[in-house]
Amino acid sequence: MLTKLFWCFIYFIKYIIVGLIISGIVGAFFPPAGAILGVIMLIGAFGASWKDAGEKMAVIAHNRLVKESEFEIEGFDQALRQTLRSMR
Amino acid sequence: MPIPLIIPILTGLGGLVAGALSRQPEINRLKEQVKVLQSEIGRLQGVIKEQQRQIEEFKIRYNALKASNFIEKKRILGITKGFLYLQYAFKEYVELSIVQARGKDLSGNELRFFNIFNYLMSEQELPVEEKLFVAEYVSYIYKYQIDNLLPLNDDDQAALIHRVETADVN
């Protein structure tokens, strides 16, 4: 859970920076529109960063599983090669 | 009233017949495969014995390693489990081939396992995820044997060989 919160925070910062830049540019020309856009992007940043963090966690879990099963896969491949050789 | 019922019944029956006919080439192929296994039962026995010998060898190597050599110990344990996954997967594959050759359907996971293992047996390379599914499927069925590093015993081997020999696929 802590890892997910960490990644959520990282993605949140990313979305906030992007939001600040876009709403800053829009706000320079149309101040009210820039403020509205900024608020919308701030609200959207929560959901988007939570979703991205979830996807990141799935990738981390998958990589961990592959890493943990590294030797088992090595043994499986070795046994498969031997089985195929003896079946020829 | 009976007329509107006839149409869905006929459509359903037609679907069943079409489904059975579309599977027929695959069933015939599996029947041939089982016949090959039956004609080469000695080789099948040899394959299983060789797998067992390798597993026993890895177990001896694992037990001979000192606790301080934990990285190598972990590696040998992983490889031994990999050999066990293959042996039990092979057993399941042979059994599912017989089941399918008799024209029976497999469940979703059984079919996925069978298709993946069929690919592997035809010497095609598959991504790690598919191999992990095979390991997961096998360890779900043979959890006790794999956790305790137990290869197929003589009775299981004899039962498998007997099942192949007596499979009626004509």
Side-chain angles (χ1 to χ4, degrees):
Chain A
M1 192 62 187
L2 269 178
T3 323
K4 189 172 181 179
L5 282 174
F6 168 77
W7 281 107
C8 187
F9 178 69
I10 298 290
Y11 285 120
F12 185 72
I13 288 174
K14 185 187 91 175
Y15 282 116
I16 287 297
I17 291 169
V18 172
L20 275 175
I21 293 168
I22 293 171
S23 57
I25 293 167
V26 174
F29 299 101
F30 312 102
I36 292 167
L37 192 64
V39 171
I40 292 170
M41 289 187 106
L42 178 69
I43 295 167
F46 286 103
S49 56
W50 186 253
K51 185 174 165 277
D52 284 2
E55 285 168 7
K56 182 76 184 173
M57 290 308 290
V59 171
I60 290 172
H62 175 260
N63 290 346
R64 191 179 294 158
L65 182 66
V66 170
K67 182 97 187 88
E68 279 171 4
S69 315
E70 186 188 354
F71 299 132
E72 292 174 10
I73 295 296
E74 185 188 332
F76 183 85
D77 285 341
Q78 210 174 312
L80 180 67
R81 278 195 300 275
Q82 283 176 7
T83 301
L84 289 172
R85 212 177 302 139
S86 46
M87 283 189 83
R88 266 182 214 138
Chain B
M1 207 41 155
I3 293 168
L5 268 177
I6 288 171
I7 294 165
I9 290 170
L10 281 178
T11 315
L13 281 173
L16 274 176
V17 171
L21 286 176
S22 68
R23 280 198 66 223
Q24 200 53 47
E26 175 65 6
I27 292 171
N28 289 343
R29 194 188 64 76
L30 287 163
K31 279 182 180 176
E32 283 306 313
Q33 194 170 310
V34 176
K35 278 180 194 165
V36 170
L37 283 175
Q38 284 174 331
S39 64
E40 299 194 9
I41 205 86
R43 192 182 284 190
L44 179 67
Q45 238 164 339
V47 167
I48 298 169
K49 285 257 181 261
E50 177 60 19
Q51 288 170 349
Q52 195 172 6
R53 192 189 64 76
Q54 293 276 356
I55 292 165
E56 293 301 342
E57 207 177 286
F58 276 115
K59 276 168 73 177
I60 292 167
R61 274 172 70 182
Y62 175 73
N63 290 325
L65 282 168
K66 286 180 184 150
S68 58
N69 206 347
F70 66 95
I71 295 175
E72 184 61 10
K73 231 176 145 79
K74 193 182 164 197
R75 184 173 165 267
I76 297 294
L77 179 66
I79 291 176
T80 313
K81 282 191 172 178
F83 267 79
L84 283 162
Y85 288 141
L86 194 276
Q87 193 183 41
Y88 285 105
F90 186 72
K91 176 180 181 278
E92 280 295 302
Y93 175 70
V94 171
E95 286 180 350
L96 293 178
S97 296
I98 297 170
V99 169
Q100 286 203 98
R102 285 180 185 151
K104 287 183 188 162
D105 287 333
L106 300 182
S107 71
N109 276 345
E110 282 174 341
L111 192 62
R112 187 176 169 201
F113 162 80
F114 183 83
N115 288 337
I116 293 172
F117 207 76
N118 207 23
Y119 256 76
L120 292 171
M121 291 306 282
S122 47
E123 300 188 42
Q124 296 188 54
E125 203 40 58
L126 281 176
V128 179
E129 289 76 19
E130 305 290 324
K131 289 175 188 169
L132 285 174
F133 175 79
V134 170
E136 199 183 322
Y137 177 86
V138 169
S139 57
Y140 177 74
I141 303 173
Y142 300 100
K143 191 175 174 10
Y144 176 80
Q145 287 89 332
I146 289 167
D147 286 349
N148 294 290
L149 305 180
L150 299 171
L152 272 180
N153 61 33
D154 291 342
D155 290 344
D156 291 337
Q157 281 181 43
L160 181 65
I161 298 295
H162 180 72
R163 221 165 296 149
V164 174
E165 278 175 332
T166 55
D168 180 20
V169 286
N170 293 312

